[in-house]
Structures are given as C-alpha cells and as structure tokens.
Amino acid sequence: MSELAELIAGWAQPGRIEWIGVRPDRRAPMTAVEELTLTANGLDGDRGRAGKRAVTLIQQEHLSAIGSYLGQGSVAPDILRRNLVVSGINLSALKGREVRVGDAVLRFTVICAPCSRMEEALGKGAYSAVRGHGGWCAEVVQPGRVKLGDVVQPVD
C-alpha cells in the first residue's frame, strides 16, 4: 500500500450516533427515536428508499457550521431531515467505504445535497449554507440494529 493510500485509509477515532430520526411520510415532521432496525431497504419506519440513498447521515459538527453561516446557533437535526447524526469522525473520509454503524454495515455512496426546502425551513441563504455540509447517503450492506451512542467506524 502506498503512503497516500495508507493515509487515506486511516482514521483517528470512532464516531458516535448522537441522534436518530425517521420521516414516516413525505413532508411529515421527523420523529426522533432511540433505536431502530436498518433493513436491506433502509430504516424501519422511514419513507426513504432502498439502494444508494437508503440512509442519510450528517456530522454533528456541521450543524453548528450551518447555523453560523445563517447567523444563528446550531441547526436542529430534524430540520435537515437526515436520519443519523454522527459525531467524532469525518464522514467525508468514509466515501465508498463500508462503515459499521451499531450492528449494521453501510456503504457511503453520494453526498446528500441540500434541497430547495432548506430556504423554507431555515430562511434566505440556507441552501448555500448547507452546501458541502449536508452529509452523505448510504446503502445498507448488512442489516442490523442501531441505537443512540453506537460506535461508527470503518470496516477494516
């Protein structure tokens, strides 16, 4: 393995699940839960879709960054409509990798770009504030349970 490949494969510490939310219907408010099951089709109780976008994740550290770009405090995770909020590990460094989240294994696929609803939810400029900080979409490689406080780390 080259030195660069070794650096890219490295990570400092595991992350942690800080918040879990599901959207039972389109435009319905997010429901925060303490644990759930990730199935081959996505999250139990979520209206999401199977495949590359079955689960959405965002870094907790980015919630305050988005808020600061809007001149306010940290943004609440339910407003951004992501399923899992993770702290302590750089999610961008996990693109294309298999990642253990609780008992499940996910593969990060594509960025979770902001939608036009961000302006509606957070006000003028919110779309741009979320750009580059909106998180990641993932597919479910191995179904399993996920709960608050679970470890998030690459599968080596």
Side-chain angles (χ1 to χ4, degrees):
M1 180 182 295
S2 75
E3 183 179 346
L4 179 58
E6 190 174 317
L7 290 171
I8 290 171
W11 46 282
Q13 66 181 358
R16 171 187 147 101
I17 298 293
E18 301 290 346
W19 187 86
I20 303 170
V22 293
R23 339 164 262 256
D25 294 303
R26 186 174 190 274
R27 286 194 164 264
M30 295 287 289
T31 301
V33 297
E34 291 188 14
E35 65 180 287
L36 54 68
T37 300
L38 291 173
T39 69
N41 295 321
L43 293 92
D44 231 8
D46 190 65
R47 73 164 286 281
R49 50 189 165 184
K52 294 190 310 186
R53 298 176 185 266
V55 181
T56 57
L57 303 94
I58 190 167
Q59 286 186 226
Q60 180 173 319
E61 294 84 354
H62 287 196
L63 299 177
S64 58
I66 293 166
S68 72
Y69 299 143
L70 296 168
Q72 62 186 39
S74 187
V75 174
D78 60 316
I79 293 173
L80 298 175
R81 304 185 66 74
R82 303 303 185 252
N83 300 121
L84 304 175
V85 175
V86 177
S87 67
I89 192 166
N90 184 352
L91 298 180
S92 294
L94 303 175
K95 181 182 181 202
R97 295 179 74 175
E98 289 189 1
V99 179
R100 179 159 305 282
V101 179
D103 295 333
V105 175
L106 304 176
R107 181 178 299 116
F108 287 34
T109 55
V110 296
I111 64 166
C112 197
C115 70
S116 60
R117 289 192 58 207
M118 291 300 98
E119 299 275 320
E120 178 185 318
L122 293 167
K124 184 174 175 23
Y127 181 89
S128 290
V130 176
R131 289 181 67 197
H133 299 282
W136 288 88
C137 297
E139 62 186 332
V140 179
V141 175
Q142 174 187 312
R145 295 290 291 170
V146 174
K147 64 183 181 306
L148 292 177
D150 275 349
V151 168
V152 176
Q153 64 185 24
V155 176
D156 290 328

